[in-house]
Amino acid sequence: MFRLRIVPAHGDPFEHQLEGESVVIGRSSSADLALADRFLSRRHARLFNEGELWFAEDLGSRNGTLVNGTAIQEPTRLQPGDELRLSGSVISILTEDGKTKSTTASSDLGTHTVFRKASELIESQTTSATAGLQAPEEVRRQTERLKMLNDVHRALARSIDLSELLQMILVRAFDHLEPEEGAIFLKKDENGGYNRAAARSVAGIESDYLYSETLVNEVAEKGLAALVLDVETDERFAAAESILSSGVRSLVAAPLLDAEGALGMIVLNSRVHKRQFNEEDMELLVSLASVAAMRIRNVALAVEAAERRRMEEELKLARQIQVTLLPSQLPEVDGYEIRGGNIPSRGVSGDYYRVVDRNDGAECLFIIADVSGKGIAASLLTASLEALMAGPIEVGQPAEEICSKVCRRLFARTPPAKYATSFLAVLEPKTGEITYTNAGHNPALIVRADGKVEELGPTGLPIGLMEDGNYTEGKTKLGPGDLLVLYTDGITEATDPEDEEYGLERLTAVCKKHRKKPLDELANEIDADLDGFAQGVPYADDRTLVMARRTKK
């Protein structure tokens, strides 16, 4: 019966007795042998027996399973002393005397290649540096390393941009490790992939051959430091034609790791006849990479903060510009109480409203609109909509004609996904007659003095959705005490913690209940009811409310 010694990627080593017919290994808690290694697949590999023989097979894992340094493609027989590598975890098959095949701290994956966990190297260097008694040669080596790291810290401490920082990191690596060429690869995004962000060569020639999927997988993805003494004799690089044809023989690489994970890797190379790296070089590069990763992360955070400040300033300016588009003062219409207001959800709004006194007071035009999208892009479309409406409004065109003309122009100037819903109502104050056009907008509410409610639904498509919206007009009339309520879907589509929408029914109930209150008080009642419903859930959309009540016969 085999016994395993497991050195997980995280946590202390332990032993495990192989029992039963098979053992599934992975990071899932449902695995027979669960390991704390975030690079493991949930069900990574399986050990199983046939008779008295034990085999290992990979279960289609993302990073593969290695037995004695070789990736297995089919069930592979295990012997005492064999070593399995699953991502950053190492499993050794103990011999009869309870020992593993290798007693060194390194993981020798082939005669000419060494991969070691960068985090363990850093920890061992820290332990060694603080040990009580050391040999003179070790003291000298530690002193030189600390001097180099202190030098690097000072050099990288000043405020510089990322490009300059990466070049400075390579300069320090060349000063202390004397490679012929070097490069830094940084992760593109969370979906993976790496870009060569910086390169350096003693000959001044930059090339792409330092990038290898094999190297990226072992170093950047698994957090392993790599020392390749001779690329030509290592089967892992057999498919790396660009590296082999370049004449590169010796490689040393280290992951750029910080507390949040891998940022990328730094790779140095040399020809064997000029320079062959050793394990001390690998340890030195790991130390340098650790310092570099911290500085790279700090620079990235500083860039993000600066970009955030810039966006905030642009948002503030955009809001200031947009406020000028909204009415600072509403017209006073004899016999009517009028109120309007807008609350943006993201600093700037995609909503728009106007109340315009036309034809020497014979008409009062009410407009409310909601453009597609949110944020700055929506606010720009709002500004365009306002500009397109300005001319037809001023010359006194009816609501139906305004929508038709603006629809054609907006359709011609914007992509198909950009459109606006709108409600336009022309009120004749003397009679209370209203002629309206609803361009795909939420139904307006007429709350009668006796509490009855009417909905003024769509009479055409949203503006700009198609070249011709086919708009028609509807008619109604406000009597004394009657109330007109226009709103955007930021109100009715607000949600509570259970993701239920506020809805038109609730808005109608509040308007009906408080219909006789002054419009400012009614608006406050709507806001209070909406806040109570949302229970702190952020509003996802802009909220605009325009109301008019006839107060005289």
Side-chain angles (χ1 to χ4, degrees):
M1 188 69 69
F2 284 170
R3 189 167 183 80
L4 308 179
R5 176 169 174 77
I6 298 101
V7 181
H10 304 285
D12 297 327
F14 63 96
E15 294 187 4
H16 180 84
Q17 184 72 42
L18 273 181
E19 296 177 344
E21 295 181 355
S22 70
V23 174
V24 173
I25 305 170
R27 62 180 172 84
S28 171
S29 59
S30 63
D32 301 316
L33 181 55
L35 302 181
D37 185 343
R38 66 190 181 95
F39 293 109
L40 275 181
S41 297
R42 296 179 62 82
R43 292 170 58 86
H44 194 105
R46 182 173 76 106
L47 307 184
F48 65 94
N49 64 35
E50 290 185 359
E52 297 182 358
L53 303 180
W54 279 87
F55 296 81
E57 69 172 344
D58 185 79
L59 298 179
S61 66
R62 185 180 65 176
N63 295 323
T65 300
L66 282 68
V67 175
N68 298 328
T70 301
I72 60 174
Q73 305 299 327
E74 56 186 18
T76 301
R77 183 181 171 184
L78 298 176
Q79 299 280 0
D82 286 347
E83 183 181 84
L84 290 82
R85 177 174 289 278
L86 290 71
S87 186
S89 301
V90 177
I91 299 176
S92 302
I93 310 297
L94 298 181
T95 58
E96 291 182 0
D97 58 1
K99 295 182 179 180
T100 61
K101 180 179 290 187
S102 172
T103 58
T104 63
S106 62
S107 297
D108 297 329
L109 304 182
T111 307
H112 299 277
T113 302
V114 175
F115 286 104
R116 296 180 62 185
K117 290 184 64 175
S119 57
E120 290 180 357
L121 278 174
I122 295 172
E123 183 178 350
S124 65
Q125 291 169 26
T126 303
T127 303
S128 177
T130 57
L133 296 175
Q134 299 180 34
E137 180 62 24
E138 178 64 18
V139 172
R140 181 195 63 78
R141 192 165 69 91
Q142 292 292 344
T143 301
E144 289 180 355
R145 178 182 286 114
L146 291 173
K147 182 177 181 301
M148 183 274 288
L149 292 177
N150 186 50
D151 177 41
V152 171
H153 269 295
R154 290 202 310 272
L156 302 182
R158 62 191 182 88
S159 178
I160 53 179
D161 63 26
L162 181 60
S163 177
E164 187 179 357
L165 171 64
L166 297 179
Q167 285 297 331
M168 187 175 292
I169 291 168
L170 285 175
V171 167
R172 297 300 167 179
F174 272 63
D175 288 345
H176 294 280
L177 294 169
E178 301 178 350
E180 290 183 74
E181 288 150 320
I184 294 176
F185 296 90
L186 296 182
K187 200 168 190 176
K188 294 178 186 177
D189 51 47
E190 293 303 319
N191 295 323
Y194 292 80
N195 285 327
R196 188 184 65 171
R200 182 178 174 84
S201 167
V202 293
I205 301 174
E206 297 181 2
S207 57
D208 292 326
Y209 57 74
L210 284 178
Y211 185 86
S212 159
E213 292 292 341
T214 301
L215 204 59
V216 167
N217 186 53
E218 295 295 325
V219 178
E221 291 294 316
K222 297 182 181 179
L224 302 177
L227 171 62
V228 184
L229 302 184
D230 193 344
V231 174
E232 195 171 50
T233 62
D234 194 307
E235 62 182 19
R236 290 165 194 76
F237 299 94
E241 295 180 5
S242 59
I243 293 181
L244 294 173
S245 62
S246 69
V248 170
R249 290 297 176 264
S250 189
L251 279 175
V252 63
L256 296 165
L257 292 172
D258 70 357
E260 296 187 33
L263 301 172
M265 68 176 181
I266 179 170
V267 189
L268 308 177
N269 83 71
S270 180
R271 276 73 174 173
V272 171
H273 67 277
K274 290 194 174 183
R275 174 85 160 89
Q276 189 173 56
F277 299 108
N278 54 40
E279 290 202 42
E280 187 173 332
D281 296 325
M282 179 172 65
E283 293 175 2
L284 194 60
L285 186 62
V286 167
S287 298
L288 173 62
S290 177
V291 175
M294 179 181 65
R295 291 295 301 146
I296 291 171
R297 181 75 73 180
N298 288 344
V299 168
L301 291 175
V303 170
E304 288 178 8
E307 179 66 14
R308 190 160 48 249
R309 287 194 298 271
R310 185 185 68 80
M311 288 296 296
E312 289 173 354
E313 288 299 319
E314 289 186 1
L315 199 63
K316 182 179 179 181
L317 178 60
R319 180 58 180 167
Q320 290 173 349
I321 294 173
Q322 189 183 30
V323 165
T324 63
L325 301 179
L326 299 175
S328 59
Q329 184 176 344
L330 299 180
E332 294 184 4
V333 179
D334 185 42
Y336 291 84
E337 184 184 3
I338 301 173
R339 184 194 184 281
N342 164 263
I343 303 175
S345 64
R346 300 189 180 185
V348 291
S349 174
D351 288 359
Y352 165 70
Y353 76 94
R354 283 190 70 184
V355 180
V356 182
D357 191 5
R358 302 196 310 181
N359 298 335
D360 297 324
E363 293 180 344
C364 185
L365 175 65
F366 294 83
I367 303 172
I368 190 168
D370 183 1
V371 305
S372 59
K374 301 177 181 65
I376 292 179
S379 72
L380 294 175
L381 186 58
T382 302
S384 178
L385 181 68
E386 189 273 342
L388 292 175
M389 282 187 169
I393 289 173
E394 289 180 4
V395 298
Q397 289 187 346
E400 177 186 3
E401 293 183 17
I402 294 174
C403 288
S404 296
K405 182 172 293 186
V406 174
C407 182
R408 290 192 298 271
R409 292 178 178 176
L410 194 67
F411 180 83
R413 298 181 184 187
T414 60
K418 298 300 181 182
Y419 58 87
T421 66
S422 185
F423 189 99
L424 286 75
V426 178
L427 168 69
E428 296 180 7
K430 287 186 177 180
T431 64
E433 296 282 348
I434 291 179
T435 304
Y436 68 89
T437 296
N438 185 335
H441 197 75
N442 305 85
L445 299 177
I446 299 291
V447 183
R448 300 298 180 184
D450 61 4
K452 294 180 180 180
V453 179
E454 299 173 17
E455 296 181 9
L456 308 182
T459 63
L461 295 174
I463 296 173
L465 185 63
M466 298 181 68
E467 187 172 8
D468 186 358
N470 295 318
Y471 301 102
T472 59
E473 291 183 339
K475 292 184 180 293
T476 189
K477 182 177 181 179
L478 290 183
D482 290 348
L483 173 69
L484 171 67
V485 180
L486 311 180
Y487 59 94
T488 57
D489 59 13
I491 294 176
T492 53
E493 294 181 4
T495 59
D496 66 5
E498 282 70 46
D499 205 33
E500 181 184 350
E501 290 188 353
Y502 184 72
L504 179 58
E505 185 178 344
R506 286 186 176 87
L507 176 62
T508 301
V510 175
C511 292
K512 181 177 179 179
K513 179 179 180 180
H514 303 285
R515 64 186 181 277
K516 296 182 180 180
K517 290 187 177 181
L519 295 188
D520 284 343
E521 293 185 20
L522 175 55
N524 290 337
E525 293 289 352
I526 294 173
D527 285 342
D529 191 67
L530 192 59
D531 288 342
F533 171 81
Q535 300 179 50
V537 175
Y539 294 103
D541 204 354
D542 313 317
R543 289 166 288 151
T544 301
L545 181 67
V546 178
M547 296 182 290
R549 177 192 287 121
R550 186 174 182 180
T551 57
K552 294 182 180 179
K553 292 184 179 180

